[in-house]
Amino acid sequence: MLNIPRISISRRLRNTPVTHRVNQAGVKAYTVYNHMLLPTVFESLEADYHHLKHRVQVWDVACERQVEVAGPDAAKLMQLITPRDLSSMQDDQCFYIPMVDDTGGLLNDPVLLRIDRNRYWISIADSDVLFWVKGLAVGMNLDVDIHEPDVSPLAVQGPNSDALMERVFGESIRDIRFFRHKKISFQDKPLVIARSGFSRQGGFEIYVEGSARGEPLWDALFEAGRDLDVRAGCPNVIERIEGGLLSYGNDMTRENSPHECALQKFCNAPDGVAFIGREALSKITPGNLKRQIRGLKIEGDPVPPCTESWYLTKHGRFAGKASSAAWSPDLACNIGIAMIDREFWEIGTELSIHFDNQQRMAEVCSLPFPR
Amino acid sequence: MLNIPRISISRRLRNTPVTHRVNQAGVKAYTVYNHMLLPTVFESLEADYHHLKHRVQVWDVACERQVEVAGPDAAKLMQLITPRDLSSMQDDQCFYIPMVDDTGGLLNDPVLLRIDRNRYWISIADSDVLFWVKGLAVGMNLDVDIHEPDVSPLAVQGPNSDALMERVFGESIRDIRFFRHKKISFQDKPLVIARSGFSRQGGFEIYVEGSARGEPLWDALFEAGRDLDVRAGCPNVIERIEGGLLSYGNDMTRENSPHECALQKFCNAPDGVAFIGREALSKITPGNLKRQIRGLKIEGDPVPPCTESWYLTKHGRFAGKASSAAWSPDLACNIGIAMIDREFWEIGTELSIHFDNQQRMAEVCSLPFPR
């Protein structure tokens, strides 16, 4: 990594409540997400990957900022911003909601938490959702309060997550179902905890309300998990590609519809329910979709980091673009995520992929990759 | 810089049209700005600083993204988003416009370019202004088209800027007045060029329309400027603090009003002109302003980078927070920018500043620092 540039940290790239702990844990690289630091490597991408898949990690994902929307018009506004039907949502549920603009382009793919009937947290991917919902609320004169609360998620991920969490929060933690949340006490104050997270290894996201509580909770998790080999970790690009977890800004942008990202099952608001982008999305049918997200297997030695779109061709014709790629130790091949044109998107299609003045064979496959 | 973490670059941290040239020029560190790479160091902060103040540099500031707003309601929407009076704006003008939300909090401090009567470019600081203006437009059902065009500013900054620009664009470049723009041909296609930039050393911003034109323009500038000692550069934190140039996200955030940031002269829309935040801002008077931006001189050895707010106290009482700081070689002292409470904001007030388990004396001073 000798020639990789450093990151210049300024106040604008916000610290999190546990940045000091992350630095003490020996973080080697950061990215920036919602104007905040997000660790990306501790020991190495591959060592972090193996550890995540076999042990348990604590992740500083404070950058999953919350946009709190509260007030009499909160439910109405939440339904306006997503094609997903929210009518059945319970107070303890987390909903993955594609958010689209008037053209049907994706603005974000957050997890929505309903805290109570008139109060929601939008747990966002990397774009300023607060600006969008505030713009709508001001423009439509809605009766809501919108702000970014002092809430910083800390994730516990990996097969030993339940064991670790039970030691810190008690055994009722095991009862939380997938994409449900619950208020559980830590040091006599409640915390919202959900069974969720940006890996396929199982685990929880703890919505740490109050920055001062970050370090005590971090320390409690490490103290309790010593014999479980708990380590500082972070979303791991290899594991997330294996698991087919799309990353907003990498694998999907404003240029893409939910359907192109294979998120059509989340576009289920019934007729008569108003949401922004309905007209644009209504024109998309299985028959006229131009491109869609797929997995890729790329031949040869480990690929470099995918820092920009890699073009895919077939006999010299444009076939698509890859947006994420990594060497998978467990699959013993390079894997990637790509947006592929209709003519080439059948599983098994062999394409050429172009990067760093190389050309290699890449095979279209389904997502997620088989374990 | 041995223990400073690397930056993990992914497609989400977008490359610019000249990222390859920036890497070839030996960039040592990046930050992220509008989801895009922004170089921060080439030789060293101090070497880059001296060179900027005495020669000429080419800056990859593609991250100053443009939000294009076009259509019959464009002028109306532009006035809605800023307290600055836009009624006199000419087609060749650039206006620095504070943008505030309904609470009067700053959302961005872009430069607005009027391209023609119904078409504007908002050249933005680091926040998703597109989401805000699109939210307002959708919410108010305005007749505008809003998108991010393929326009990537390249800045030429430093005392030799006019000399270099004349060689590439012809002598008419010298006629462009400060904060005016003009369409000038490069390789037979027009480019919008403004006399502006994020330094106090003079220069231009070239709005490179069409990514493919970035490298040819970069190469032409370096070819023409060899004997002027032209180098790759970037906004320099030392020079910008000396010049009192505020950075959105560092020195001002949504928590601040324009008045707190000493931008009240840009809040001049006459009575009867509608803009968002008018009611909130109307409550601010010189008599009730609680805090305001100031310069700081900090005693002692060169300070470390200011990666988070540094507290200011007076006899143990909270007095404010510093948001930027650096050692100035030309002033031979540490300088900074801070938001200071009313009781302590008089020029010459001596405060204590706290960082890295140190406490030092800091003196309140005016901005910009005297040259």
Side-chain angles (χ1 to χ4, degrees):
Chain A
M1 295 188 13
L2 270 181
N3 291 315
I4 298 174
R6 266 90 175 178
I7 186 165
S8 285
I9 302 176
S10 62
R11 184 192 172 211
R12 184 174 55 77
L13 310 190
R14 299 176 288 176
N15 281 336
T16 82
V18 295
T19 292
H20 291 293
R21 290 289 184 267
V22 165
N23 288 334
Q24 286 164 356
V27 64
K28 289 209 174 85
Y30 278 114
T31 185
V32 177
Y33 199 95
N34 285 323
H35 316 278
M36 193 170 255
L37 296 174
L38 170 62
T40 54
V41 183
F42 284 88
E43 193 175 339
S44 71
L45 273 186
E46 292 200 11
D48 293 353
Y49 157 90
H50 289 301
H51 182 266
L52 169 62
K53 292 178 86 167
H54 295 97
R55 300 286 193 273
V56 58
Q57 299 183 342
V58 178
W59 293 3
D60 176 10
V61 284
C63 67
E64 295 171 2
R65 303 308 297 161
Q66 307 306 302
V67 177
E68 178 167 318
V69 180
D73 288 331
K76 177 183 174 185
L77 179 54
M78 291 304 92
Q79 184 59 78
L80 272 177
I81 61 170
T82 182
R84 181 158 182 186
D85 179 14
L86 301 183
S87 61
S88 67
M89 194 173 192
Q90 305 297 310
D91 280 352
D92 70 338
Q93 273 193 298
C94 311
F95 267 31
Y96 177 76
I97 57 162
M99 285 180 54
V100 300
D101 66 10
D102 53 322
T103 71
L106 282 160
L107 294 178
N108 204 286
D109 68 327
V111 172
L112 180 65
L113 281 77
R114 184 164 138 147
I115 304 297
D116 62 43
R117 196 167 59 89
N118 289 321
R119 194 159 73 101
Y120 294 82
W121 284 350
I122 316 174
S123 188
I124 61 173
D126 181 33
S127 70
D128 292 336
V129 168
L130 185 142
F131 281 42
W132 172 241
V133 293
K134 222 181 215 265
L136 291 171
V138 169
M140 301 173 80
N141 209 13
L142 298 180
D143 189 2
V144 284
D145 173 71
I146 296 166
H147 72 286
E148 184 184 297
D150 179 16
V151 172
S152 296
L154 201 64
V156 173
Q157 300 283 300
N160 286 339
S161 294
D162 278 70
L164 175 57
M165 291 289 283
E166 183 177 358
R167 294 182 189 181
V168 175
F169 295 101
E171 64 181 48
S172 69
I173 204 84
R174 292 187 183 265
D175 302 334
I176 303 178
R177 286 182 291 153
F178 187 63
F179 264 53
R180 297 277 173 163
H181 61 83
K182 196 170 173 175
K183 277 198 175 139
I184 296 192
S185 259
F186 173 72
Q187 296 181 341
D188 299 327
K189 280 168 76 181
L191 287 173
V192 171
I193 301 181
R195 190 181 287 273
S196 57
F198 200 59
S199 86
R200 296 282 192 188
Q201 307 310 316
F204 300 84
E205 288 177 301
I206 308 164
Y207 290 79
V208 183
E209 200 165 357
S211 288
R213 305 176 72 191
E215 290 193 356
L217 177 56
W218 177 282
D219 294 343
L221 287 163
F222 278 84
E223 182 64 32
R226 222 175 281 179
D227 62 306
L228 297 173
D229 190 21
V230 62
R231 293 189 199 166
C234 48
N236 181 278
V237 67
I238 311 170
E239 195 273 344
R240 83 149 179 94
I241 298 174
E242 284 181 1
L245 292 171
L246 305 186
S247 160
Y248 185 75
N250 283 313
D251 308 311
M252 49 186 166
T253 72
R254 264 195 332 273
E255 306 295 312
N256 301 118
S257 68
H259 302 68
E260 290 179 347
C261 302
L263 302 176
Q264 58 270 20
K265 71 173 171 178
F266 300 108
C267 301
N268 61 350
D271 288 348
V273 172
F275 67 86
I276 293 157
R278 178 181 272 285
E279 195 189 332
L281 295 188
S282 71
K283 293 177 183 154
I284 303 173
T285 66
N288 69 11
L289 193 63
K290 289 194 174 64
R291 49 188 186 169
Q292 200 171 46
I293 206 93
R294 290 288 184 274
L296 278 185
K297 284 187 183 173
I298 306 165
E299 67 166 8
D301 292 338
V303 293
C306 182
T307 59
E308 56 190 330
S309 294
W310 290 348
Y311 283 81
L312 293 158
T313 59
K314 177 87 180 180
H315 304 316
R317 285 175 54 210
F318 176 84
K321 289 182 198 174
S323 47
S324 297
W327 172 262
S328 162
D330 285 350
L331 299 176
C333 70
N334 292 300
I335 55 175
I337 295 175
M339 191 62 73
I340 315 236
D341 279 10
R342 183 181 195 93
E343 197 181 334
F344 308 99
W345 73 25
E346 285 299 319
I347 306 306
T349 306
E350 292 191 355
L351 302 172
S352 295
I353 188 164
H354 305 262
F355 59 91
D356 286 7
N357 300 315
Q358 294 181 43
Q359 174 177 331
R360 295 198 202 174
M361 200 276 283
E363 183 189 329
V364 176
C365 35
S366 56
L367 286 173
F369 288 85
R371 299 202 192 193
Chain B
M1 296 190 8
L2 271 183
N3 292 317
I4 299 174
R6 266 88 176 183
I7 185 167
S8 285
I9 302 176
S10 62
R11 183 192 174 212
R12 185 174 54 77
L13 310 189
R14 299 176 289 177
N15 280 334
T16 81
V18 295
T19 292
H20 292 293
R21 290 289 185 269
V22 165
N23 288 334
Q24 286 164 356
V27 64
K28 289 210 174 84
Y30 278 113
T31 185
V32 176
Y33 198 95
N34 285 322
H35 315 279
M36 195 170 252
L37 296 174
L38 171 62
T40 53
V41 182
F42 284 88
E43 193 176 338
S44 70
L45 273 186
E46 292 201 10
D48 293 354
Y49 157 91
H50 290 300
H51 182 265
L52 168 62
K53 292 177 86 166
H54 295 96
R55 301 284 193 274
V56 58
Q57 297 182 343
V58 178
W59 293 3
D60 176 10
V61 284
C63 67
E64 295 170 4
R65 303 309 295 163
Q66 307 305 302
V67 177
E68 178 167 317
V69 180
D73 288 333
K76 177 183 174 185
L77 179 54
M78 292 305 91
Q79 183 60 78
L80 272 177
I81 60 170
T82 182
R84 182 158 180 186
D85 179 15
L86 302 183
S87 61
S88 68
M89 194 175 192
Q90 305 297 308
D91 281 351
D92 70 338
Q93 273 193 297
C94 311
F95 267 30
Y96 176 78
I97 56 162
M99 284 180 53
V100 301
D101 66 11
D102 52 322
T103 71
L106 282 161
L107 294 179
N108 202 286
D109 68 327
V111 173
L112 180 65
L113 281 77
R114 182 163 140 149
I115 304 296
D116 61 42
R117 196 167 59 89
N118 289 321
R119 193 158 73 101
Y120 294 82
W121 283 350
I122 316 174
S123 189
I124 61 174
D126 182 32
S127 69
D128 292 335
V129 167
L130 185 141
F131 281 41
W132 172 241
V133 292
K134 222 180 215 263
L136 291 171
V138 169
M140 301 174 79
N141 208 13
L142 298 179
D143 188 2
V144 285
D145 172 73
I146 297 167
H147 72 285
E148 183 184 297
D150 179 16
V151 172
S152 297
L154 201 64
V156 173
Q157 300 283 301
N160 286 340
S161 294
D162 278 70
L164 174 57
M165 291 290 282
E166 183 177 358
R167 293 182 190 182
V168 174
F169 295 101
E171 65 181 49
S172 69
I173 203 83
R174 291 186 183 266
D175 301 334
I176 303 178
R177 286 181 291 152
F178 187 63
F179 263 54
R180 297 278 174 162
H181 60 84
K182 196 170 173 176
K183 278 196 175 138
I184 296 191
S185 260
F186 174 72
Q187 296 182 340
D188 298 327
K189 279 168 77 182
L191 287 173
V192 171
I193 300 180
R195 190 180 288 274
S196 57
F198 200 59
S199 86
R200 297 282 191 189
Q201 306 310 315
F204 300 85
E205 287 176 302
I206 308 165
Y207 290 79
V208 184
E209 201 167 354
S211 288
R213 305 175 74 191
E215 290 194 356
L217 177 57
W218 177 281
D219 294 343
L221 288 162
F222 278 83
E223 182 64 34
R226 222 175 282 179
D227 62 306
L228 296 172
D229 189 22
V230 62
R231 292 189 200 167
C234 48
N236 182 279
V237 66
I238 310 170
E239 195 272 345
R240 82 150 178 94
I241 298 175
E242 284 181 1
L245 292 171
L246 304 186
S247 162
Y248 184 75
N250 284 313
D251 309 310
M252 50 185 165
T253 72
R254 265 194 332 271
E255 307 294 312
N256 302 118
S257 68
H259 301 68
E260 289 178 348
C261 302
L263 303 176
Q264 59 272 17
K265 71 172 170 177
F266 299 109
C267 301
N268 61 349
D271 288 349
V273 171
F275 67 85
I276 294 158
R278 178 180 273 286
E279 196 188 332
L281 295 188
S282 72
K283 293 177 182 153
I284 303 171
T285 66
N288 70 10
L289 193 62
K290 288 193 174 65
R291 49 190 185 168
Q292 200 170 46
I293 205 93
R294 289 289 184 272
L296 278 185
K297 284 187 183 173
I298 307 165
E299 68 167 7
D301 293 337
V303 293
C306 182
T307 60
E308 57 191 329
S309 294
W310 290 347
Y311 282 80
L312 294 157
T313 59
K314 178 88 181 180
H315 304 315
R317 285 176 53 211
F318 176 85
K321 288 181 198 175
S323 47
S324 298
W327 172 262
S328 163
D330 285 351
L331 299 176
C333 70
N334 292 301
I335 55 175
I337 296 175
M339 190 63 72
I340 314 237
D341 280 9
R342 183 181 195 91
E343 197 180 333
F344 308 99
W345 74 23
E346 284 299 318
I347 306 306
T349 306
E350 293 191 355
L351 303 172
S352 296
I353 188 164
H354 306 261
F355 58 92
D356 286 6
N357 301 314
Q358 294 180 44
Q359 174 177 331
R360 296 199 200 173
M361 198 277 283
E363 183 189 330
V364 176
C365 36
S366 56
L367 287 172
F369 288 85
R371 299 202 191 193

